Amino acid sequence: MPNDSSPRARAREQTMRDIVRIGRAHLATDGAAALSLRAVARDLGLVSSAVYRYVASRDELLTLLVVDGYDELGDAVDTALASVDPTDFAGRMTAIGRAVRGWGLAEPATYALLFGSPVPGYEAPAEQTTGSGVRVVGRLVEVWEDAWRAGAIAVDDEPLKPRRLSRDLARIRREMGLSVPEALIARGLFAWAALFGCVTWEVFGQYGTATFAEPADLFEQHLAALVESVGLA
């Protein structure tokens, strides 16, 4: 069997990268529901039967695109965070928000695949997509956990009501190994959902074309409010 550095292995890796690249191009022009593995094979210069040696089905191609999209978004967030002082917790959260918006506007088709309507007949396999899919929220949680440990956020450390919500939040805290109180987890979930809601509204053109001269101005207002909502302002 060839090792990872063999010419055959390198050729296969390049072909897989080309399949993902061409798949994303088709995603942008045709949409996820119309994605065709045969069309990708044609653009790659392969007969349709040959492409199945690399990708077994349309669903497997969609999974590759989902993982690639999540990883690219996660990389954009990590790049933005690299230039922020780790003790500037509000700055870190702001950098994450701006990176998500920037990537979403630059890659609307892939953003729609990740955060838009489900593709008919397709369900992303959790064992392949969860790790990449939680990268951004993981960075947000790190900000809130670090801020709490540094004494930069003040919230009550009392269980929330109703009890079933408190149990859910306590389970999340245990599973993620967090020290933050339940109230901060709840605030964080709001900020996470609202951030992606703001970006989704803009990426999908829900404000209309002439409502705002510069939608980024509105986003900055929203982002400042979200930072404040978790207690970082």
Side-chain angles (χ1 to χ4, degrees), residues 24 27-28 30-33 62 65-66 69-70 73 100 103-120 122 196 199-200 203-205:
R24 284 185 60 169
L27 190 67
D30 305 328
L62 281 169
L65 300 184
V66 166
Y70 277 137
L73 174 57
V100 171
W103 184 83
L105 291 174
E107 299 291 342
T110 303
Y111 185 94
L113 175 63
L114 303 183
F115 305 110
S117 300
V119 180
Y122 172 74
F196 278 89
V199 174
T200 295
V203 170
F204 294 165

Side-chain angles (χ1 to χ4, degrees), residues 54-96:
Y54 300 93
V55 181
S57 65
R58 182 211 69 156
D59 283 6
E60 187 172 316
L61 175 59
L62 281 169
T63 297
L64 290 173
L65 300 184
V66 166
V67 172
D68 186 65
Y70 277 137
D71 281 340
E72 191 172 275
L73 174 57
D75 289 346
V77 166
D78 286 348
T79 297
L81 286 171
S83 61
V84 181
D85 181 346
T87 64
D88 180 5
F89 306 114
R92 286 165 63 186
M93 186 171 169
T94 299
I96 293 169

Side-chain angles (χ1 to χ4, degrees), residues 1-231:
M1 295 294 291
N3 59 43
D4 289 344
S5 62
S6 70
R8 181 178 298 179
R10 291 196 298 271
R12 180 177 180 82
E13 289 171 3
Q14 182 60 54
T15 300
M16 292 298 294
R17 287 193 293 269
D18 289 340
I19 288 172
V20 170
R21 174 180 54 80
I22 294 170
R24 284 185 60 169
H26 280 256
L27 190 67
T29 57
D30 305 328
L35 195 65
S36 166
L37 196 54
R38 288 178 179 270
V40 170
R42 181 186 63 242
D43 287 359
L44 191 60
L46 296 175
V47 296
S48 58
S49 58
V51 79
Y52 292 105
R53 295 202 300 267
Y54 300 93
V55 181
S57 65
R58 182 211 69 156
D59 283 6
E60 187 172 316
L61 175 59
L62 281 169
T63 297
L64 290 173
L65 300 184
V66 166
V67 172
D68 186 65
Y70 277 137
D71 281 340
E72 191 172 275
L73 174 57
D75 289 346
V77 166
D78 286 348
T79 297
L81 286 171
S83 61
V84 181
D85 181 346
T87 64
D88 180 5
F89 306 114
R92 286 165 63 186
M93 186 171 169
T94 299
I96 293 169
R98 289 172 178 165
V100 171
R101 175 181 180 269
W103 184 83
L105 291 174
E107 299 291 342
T110 303
Y111 185 94
L113 175 63
L114 303 183
F115 305 110
S117 300
V119 180
Y122 172 74
E123 183 174 350
E127 67 277 7
Q128 294 175 252
T129 59
T130 298
S132 298
V134 299
R135 282 181 60 185
V136 174
V137 69
R139 293 293 180 260
L140 286 168
V141 170
E142 287 172 359
V143 174
W144 306 325
E145 175 74 4
D146 290 350
W148 173 255
R149 289 180 178 270
I153 295 179
V155 295
D156 292 335
D157 197 8
E158 298 294 328
L160 298 184
K161 295 180 180 180
R163 290 185 62 187
R164 62 178 174 269
L165 174 60
S166 180
R167 287 193 296 268
D168 288 341
L169 295 173
R171 173 177 46 78
I172 292 171
R173 180 163 58 178
R174 289 193 304 272
E175 290 176 351
M176 300 189 73
L178 302 176
S179 65
V180 300
E182 294 174 12
L184 184 50
I185 296 175
R187 290 185 188 185
L189 289 171
F190 162 74
W192 173 35
L195 168 61
F196 278 89
C198 292
V199 174
T200 295
W201 208 250
E202 187 175 353
V203 170
F204 294 165
Q206 295 302 307
Y207 291 121
T209 58
T211 306
F212 297 102
E214 179 47 75
D217 297 338
L218 179 65
F219 179 78
E220 288 297 318
Q221 290 292 318
H222 288 165
L223 187 54
L226 293 179
V227 171
E228 184 178 2
S229 74
V230 297

